Structures are given as C-alpha cells and as structure tokens.
Amino acid sequence: MEKNLKQVRNTEGSEILKITLFGPESTGKTTLAIQLAEHFETAWVPEFARDYLQGKWDKTGQICSVDDMLPIAYGQTQLENESLSKANKFLFCDTNLMVTKVFFEVYYNFCDPAIAKAARKHEYDLFFLTDIDVPLEKDDLRDKPEGREAVFKAFKQALIDNKKPFIVLNGDKESRLKNAITILEQLEKAKKLGFSSADLLQIREHGIPLENLVNQINYYNNGIAKAVLVKPAQVSSGIAKFSGDEIQQKAEFFDANKTNLKLIKFVPASGAASRMFQFLNEFLNEFDIEKESINAYINRKKASELAVFIVGLDKLPFFDEIYSKLKETNPNFNVLERDAKFFHFIKTMLSSEYFNYANKPKAVLPFHKYKSHIATPIEEHLYECTRYSRSNGSSHLHFTVTEMHQIGFETVIKTVKRRVEEETQTKIDVSFSYQNKATDILAVDDLNKPFREDNGKLLFRPGGHGALIENLNNLDGDVIFVKNIDNVIQTHVEINTLYKKALAGIMIELQQQIFKYLNAIDSGQEINVEEVINFAKTRLNIKGSKKVFKYTLEYQKEYIKKILDRPIRICGMVRNEGDTGGGPFWVRSPKGAVSLQIVETSQIDLTNPEQATIFSGSTHFNPVDLVCGTQNYKGIKFNLADFVDKNSGFIVKKNKDGKPLKSYELPGLWNGAMAKWISVFVEVPLITFNPVKTVNDLLKEPHQPQ
C-alpha cells in the first residue's frame, strides 16, 4: 500500500521545483495550474479525482464515499510521478494527497492512516492556497456553497499543522496569476542562492527584495572598500566658523524667512537604553554581596564608572522615586548596610519587576529634574521644537520608534503635550514612523553562511540608522532639523536655540542662491558660469572640474545643474574632545572626486599608516546636529535614495546566544546615506552636544538643575 503512495521527488540529474495548488475545489485551482504551466512551458498534473468521480457517477449514480479514498490517492500519486519526467524547471500539481486528507476529514470525519502519513510525507517546494474570494465554481461532486469559509479554514490549518510552506493567493484570476508568477520567479532565484522555501517565506514576510540579499552576501564574501581619506576637514578647510554677530544675523535671517515654510524636527528615537546601563548590568551579574564589598569590586574590576555612579547617585533625576520604592518594598531599608543599599538600588532600577530602565527606550526615561516635575527626553524635544522649529504658531515633531514602544511614547506625550502647547502658545503635531522591516539585514556566520536561530529560521537584524533615510524621505517639509533623542540639555537652552536657528538660516540663504541659479538656467537667462562655479567651491565645498570651461555653454549649464540640484545639509561640528564617532573629512571616491563626508571610524583602514595619520589629525566631531533641505528648486521632493553611496556601509561582529555572527550595516544616516548631498559643515559650541550615552552623563552640568 505504502509503495503505491510513494512520491518521486525528482528524476535523476534534474532539479524540478514542485508547486501544488491547494484549497477547496471551487477556487479556480485547475485553471491556475494550467495557466502557470503554460507560462513556464512545463507540465502540470491534473486532478485524478475529478475524472474518477465523474465516471463513478455516470456508472452508478453515486457520488464520493469513503471507499473512494485510496483509489483517488493511488491515482493522484501515479499521475504526479509520471508527469515529473515531462517537467521543465517547475511541475504544477492541481492537487495533492493533503487535499485528499482534508477533504475526507471535513466531509467524512475520517482519513485512512496510510493516506494521512503519505500526505504529511509528500514534499512540495511551495503550496499555493487559493482563497475563496472568487465566485464559486460549481462542483456538485464535492464542494457545496454552504460552509465554504469553514472548509477554507480547515485547508489552511492543515498546512500550518503540518508545517508546509504556503502562500495565500487571493484577488481576481488575473491578479492571482500575476502574483503567482512573481512568487515563483523569486523562489527560483532563492533556490539558486541556497535558500529554502521556508526561507523565502520569511524573506517575503520582511518584504526584503532578493536583490538586497544578493548584495549583502557579496559584501560578506568580498568585503567593503574602506573610505580613502585625503585630509581632515578643519576650520578654513571644509568647516566654516562664524563670529557671534554673524551667528546672530543668520538666526535672524531664519526667523525673517520661515513664515511660509513648513518646519519639521526629525528625531531618531528607537534606541533602547541598554548601553546606558551596561556597566551596572555587568555589576549585577558579577558582584556577590556575600563575598566582597563594592569597593573591592571597583578595585578588582577597575570599575571607575560604578564609583562615579555611586558618588553622584542622589543627584540623578530618578533617585527619589527609586528610593521611595525601596522603602515601600523593604520597611527595614534604612537600616541596611551601605553596600546593601547601593546593591538593591541598582537591582530595583534595572529589575523587570520594577523600573526596568535598561529595557526601555531612552526617550521615556527620567532625564532632568525640575522644581515641579521630572522631564523625559520626549518632553525636552517638545519644548525644543517650539523654540526653533516653529512657524505661524505650529510645529511638527517626528519620532522614529520601534512599534512595540510607540504606546510608551504616546503615554508620555499625552501627559505633557498640552502643558507644553499652552506654555509656548504653539500647536505641536507629533507623528511616528518605524524602521521598515524591508531594510533588515541577513546575518551570517564566520563562514559567511546564513546565520540560523535554534528553530532553523534565518536571523535578520536591523540595518542601523542608515535605514532611516527612508523615513526621512517620507517627510514633506521645507526645513528639517535632525537631532538624536538623547542630545537634550536642561541648561544653556538659549545658545542651543540660537545655533539651531543659525544653521537653518545658513541653509535657507544658500538654498535661495542655488535656486536662483537653477531657475535662471531653466528660464534661459544669461548666467556667469565662473561666478556659479566659484560659489559652489567657496560656499558649498564642491571641488568642481576645471575642464568644464573647455566645453560649450550648454554643457556648462548641465554641469551646474548636476552639482547644484541636490539635497542640502548644514551640519554642526564641535571640537573633538575625545568622543568616538563620525568625523568630518575630505574623502576621495573610487572615481577620483574629492568631497566632504562624515566618516565613521569603522569605515577607515587604521592599519594603513597614512590613513591613520590623517584620522589622528581630525579636530572636529559630528554631533548629529543637522538642518536639511530635501526639496528641489521646483518645490518637488528629492528621492533621497538616489543620493546614497550604497558602497559605504560596513560589517560588524556581534553574537547571538553566545554564537558569533557578522552583520552588514547600511550606510549611516548622516554618513553614506547622505554622501551625495551638498554638505556644509559649521563649527558650533560644545555645549550644543550633550548626549546621554551612559547614565553617568546625567550627572554632567548641562543635565543638572540650574
């Protein structure tokens, strides 16, 4: 019996992808199977049961019964096996034994054990589950109009229970065929890349184009070329420095020209606070209060960060709340030894049972203590956007968040937004976006093979902040301020506001001149090419080609449009006082062009003495303080994806459950993702850059009460 139900997977020397149609008989399976076979010029396996049951009806006047189960299963298996030798790349099966199994279970509450076993054992590269959102195809031998939804659910559950790879096809017949063809073309490519059908379903769930995976695998196998530094960008050589009066003038120019502009503040805010508390988590994992004192631990581990934390503990904005919780949960807390108090304070602060700070986004944590309340970064950004990102009494604030944390953001905003709006007489429009799952990255092992989790699934990791260029691309504003969630201060807000406005004023002033030149070209006006080239060189840091003057005027105009018709960013730069991260450099592209770029340490070949020397000469640091113009001279948004240097990402080493892995990171948002923008760097005071990278940063003067 089992021999008659044995499926032939492939003929020798061939690799045929078996695709089976699955679902109630009234959903157009047969038509679709024939159409797919015709499209791919291959064989299809008809449904044995239809002719078998029609013959029975013609002879006896009886319809399907339990006794027909085995003959149908034998006949279908034989048809499928015989058709395999006629197939070309694909074999399309109108039905399969799983259909037989489900049909008899639904209508007769019974399935022969041999058929059930064979149905589970038969393998197909993909099941197309045909939905019931099409008119019923009358089939009085089997399906009835009644209970159509219940039958469909039974078919779908069978695929889930038996872990079969399936995709639901819905819509009209034309869209089903088109969708199926696209999916099968993807399946063929995925198989050639070494992925399974289950892998393809996971890839499709993320919405990741296969071309992206091909590129990522190439990066893993071939590496990524490092940036070629020419020299550091410094004041008078790539970084503009303005006097106090000039900064004031730029800020006033912004205020005078913002009336008809839509201003948006864009805040990447999806980062968790895990790194903020990393040294405290390490302390909890390694410290044994029964065996050593905290001072002994600090000396043994050289844990200077822990020492600073303990000394400044009562100055932290959340001290009172946690201390009250400790006294509430332990009436004897006040009589505990000093070390025990510190230990339980840290434990309560990080415990998932209580405050769980390390697992929350930074945005919702207590950052600043005021006389009347404790403020989170969200509240500080609400106030900030009313100070410099405001026009005609309204302001727009956009956070990029993780979906699971959005409710936490909304809770904080609901609590404070009205108060901020009333105090500042500003209506604040708050919006959110998520990092698109389609930008996630395939992780690999040390051999550059796809990294798999314990359940066999592929591991996809977020592609880094470079993925947010898509979120930025979706915003529609004239001036967009970009600032990280943790870079907020409690003091010196006036100077912070002044420089934000000044950066925006510089951008608008430059943009107006750029638009004037481009509109003149479009309208056929005479332009002084030498003047424009000099403007690009001295004001925009664009090192143009001297050869342009050898060509015709028309060529020169096209060249001007090429170098000026781009998004523009004004980037604040602070003096480097030892902070790690991106810095401003003149960089040479593979084609020899030299331009200003913000380069991360990971992009530089520090084993090259020349490059290491250039890197060490850097004087400034990028604090992620940008003002962006993303519309062209016609008022049309640029497609920011067109201005990304796709070869400027980098590979990082991580681990998952103790297993090493590698992951590609997309070109950073303010690095390669903006590499082809017009970039103007401006020195700003260090006070404008006060991020909270560790909890101890909250003890610094800009984060303490005035």
Side-chain angles (χ1 to χ4, degrees), residues 270-278 281 350 356-363 365 367 693:
S270 56
S274 53
R275 291 184 184 177
M276 241 181 101
F277 300 95
Q278 185 174 345
N281 267 319
L350 300 182
N356 199 27
Y357 280 169
N359 292 314
K360 292 180 178 179
K362 286 183 183 180
L365 296 183
F367 259 40
K693 299 305 179 186

Side-chain angles (χ1 to χ4, degrees), residues 555-603:
Y555 176 88
Q556 292 172 1
K557 289 180 178 180
E558 287 303 314
Y559 176 78
I560 289 171
K561 293 186 75 170
K562 180 181 178 182
I563 64 174
L564 294 187
D565 193 16
R566 295 184 285 159
I568 183 172
R569 59 173 177 166
I570 313 299
C571 309
M573 293 290 166
V574 298
R575 286 278 175 180
N576 195 334
E577 294 192 351
D579 289 294
T580 59
F585 292 90
W586 290 97
V587 176
R588 180 175 288 108
S589 75
K591 294 183 178 180
V594 176
S595 63
L596 274 180
Q597 300 293 337
I598 298 172
V599 186
E600 298 291 333
T601 307
S602 56
Q603 295 176 264

Side-chain angles (χ1 to χ4, degrees), residues 147-167:
R148 202 175 178 209
E149 288 188 14
V151 173
F152 177 78
K153 287 180 180 179
F155 274 92
K156 185 175 182 178
Q157 193 61 47
L159 293 174
I160 296 170
D161 292 344
N162 290 281
K163 296 181 172 59
K164 301 295 185 182
F166 75 93
I167 292 175

Side-chain angles (χ1 to χ4, degrees), residues 267 269-270 399-403 405-406 409 432-435 471:
V267 182
S270 56
F399 293 104
T400 64
V401 301
T402 54
E403 192 170 358
H405 288 139
Q406 182 173 335
F409 277 73
F432 302 93
S433 64
Y434 312 133
Q435 186 168 315
N471 303 62

Side-chain angles (χ1 to χ4, degrees), residues 4-5 25 45-56 63-80 95-104 108 112 115 122 141-142:
N4 292 332
L5 295 174
E25 301 304 324
V45 184
E47 184 185 11
F48 177 81
R50 182 180 299 277
D51 290 340
Y52 172 86
L53 293 175
Q54 186 63 57
K56 178 180 178 181
I63 58 173
C64 186
S65 69
V66 173
D67 294 336
D68 299 310
M69 193 183 309
L70 279 173
I72 289 174
Y74 293 153
Q76 191 64 49
T77 303
Q78 183 180 352
L79 266 180
E80 181 181 316
T95 188
N96 52 76
L97 293 196
M98 190 64 71
V99 172
T100 306
K101 175 180 179 295
V102 174
F103 175 82
F104 280 96
Y108 298 100
D112 187 288
I115 295 177
H122 282 201
L141 295 172
R142 292 162 298 181

Side-chain angles (χ1 to χ4, degrees), residues 247-500:
I247 288 295
Q248 185 65 46
Q249 291 170 5
K250 302 298 182 186
E252 291 173 358
F253 181 83
F254 168 68
D255 282 333
N257 285 271
K258 70 180 183 181
T259 305
N260 297 319
L261 302 178
K262 181 177 180 181
L263 312 179
I264 302 176
K265 188 178 182 187
F266 178 81
V267 182
S270 56
S274 53
R275 291 184 184 177
M276 241 181 101
F277 300 95
Q278 185 174 345
F279 72 91
L280 294 175
N281 267 319
E282 290 174 358
F283 166 71
L284 291 179
N285 291 332
E286 299 177 12
F287 177 69
D288 188 340
I289 197 170
E290 301 295 331
K291 295 183 178 180
E292 66 177 336
S293 67
I294 290 180
N295 278 340
Y297 173 87
I298 290 173
N299 292 330
R300 177 170 63 85
K301 299 289 292 185
K302 295 182 174 55
S304 58
E305 287 181 302
L306 179 61
V308 171
F309 176 81
I310 288 174
V311 170
L313 189 60
D314 61 346
K315 295 180 180 179
L316 291 168
F318 45 75
F319 174 80
D320 291 340
E321 185 179 10
I322 296 176
Y323 193 77
S324 296
K325 176 60 69 175
L326 287 165
K327 291 192 293 184
E328 175 190 321
T329 56
N330 185 352
N332 299 319
F333 180 76
N334 284 334
V335 300
L336 292 178
E337 295 291 332
R338 174 180 175 275
D339 277 11
K341 286 182 178 179
F342 289 141
F343 176 77
H344 287 293
F345 186 99
I346 295 170
K347 188 174 182 180
T348 300
M349 179 177 67
L350 300 182
S351 169
S352 59
E353 186 179 352
Y354 294 108
F355 294 91
N356 199 27
Y357 280 169
N359 292 314
K360 292 180 178 179
K362 286 183 183 180
V364 303
L365 296 183
F367 259 40
H368 298 150
K369 184 176 182 178
Y370 293 93
K371 290 181 180 179
S372 60
H373 68 289
I374 305 296
T376 65
I378 292 176
E379 179 178 333
E380 299 291 18
H381 277 286
L382 284 166
Y383 274 110
E384 265 201 22
C385 72
T386 67
R387 297 186 189 112
Y388 57 79
S389 182
R390 166 186 170 179
S391 177
N392 297 317
S394 67
S395 183
H396 302 271
L397 178 58
H398 184 88
F399 293 104
T400 64
V401 301
T402 54
E403 192 170 358
M404 65 182 292
H405 288 139
Q406 182 173 335
I407 293 177
F409 277 73
E410 291 173 339
T411 300
V412 173
I413 290 167
K414 185 177 181 181
T415 304
V416 302
K417 180 169 173 276
R418 178 175 292 182
R419 167 165 52 85
V420 176
E421 288 180 323
E422 290 176 353
E423 286 181 18
T424 62
Q425 293 298 295
T426 306
K427 176 161 183 14
I428 307 172
D429 171 56
V430 180
S431 57
F432 302 93
S433 64
Y434 312 133
Q435 186 168 315
N436 190 344
K437 286 174 64 178
T439 63
D440 284 357
I441 303 296
L442 175 70
V444 298
D445 59 23
D446 286 338
L447 298 176
N448 295 333
K449 301 297 182 185
F451 185 97
R452 295 188 182 274
E453 302 193 70
D454 291 340
N455 60 7
K457 286 194 171 184
L458 300 170
L459 175 65
F460 292 101
R461 301 184 74 255
H465 54 70
L468 299 181
I469 195 69
E470 183 176 308
N471 303 62
L472 186 62
N473 198 34
N474 291 331
L475 295 184
D476 189 7
D478 298 289
V479 179
I480 302 176
F481 297 87
V482 180
K483 193 178 183 187
N484 275 342
I485 186 66
D486 63 351
N487 186 16
V488 287
I489 54 178
Q490 188 166 356
T491 58
H492 309 289
V493 294
E494 294 82 8
I495 193 168
N496 183 61
T497 300
L498 174 65
Y499 271 86
K500 291 294 181 296

Side-chain angles (χ1 to χ4, degrees), residues 10 22 117 293 401 469 637 683 694:
N10 265 308
F22 191 76
K117 180 180 178 181
S293 67
V401 301
I469 195 69
K637 285 169 53 179
E683 186 176 78
T694 80

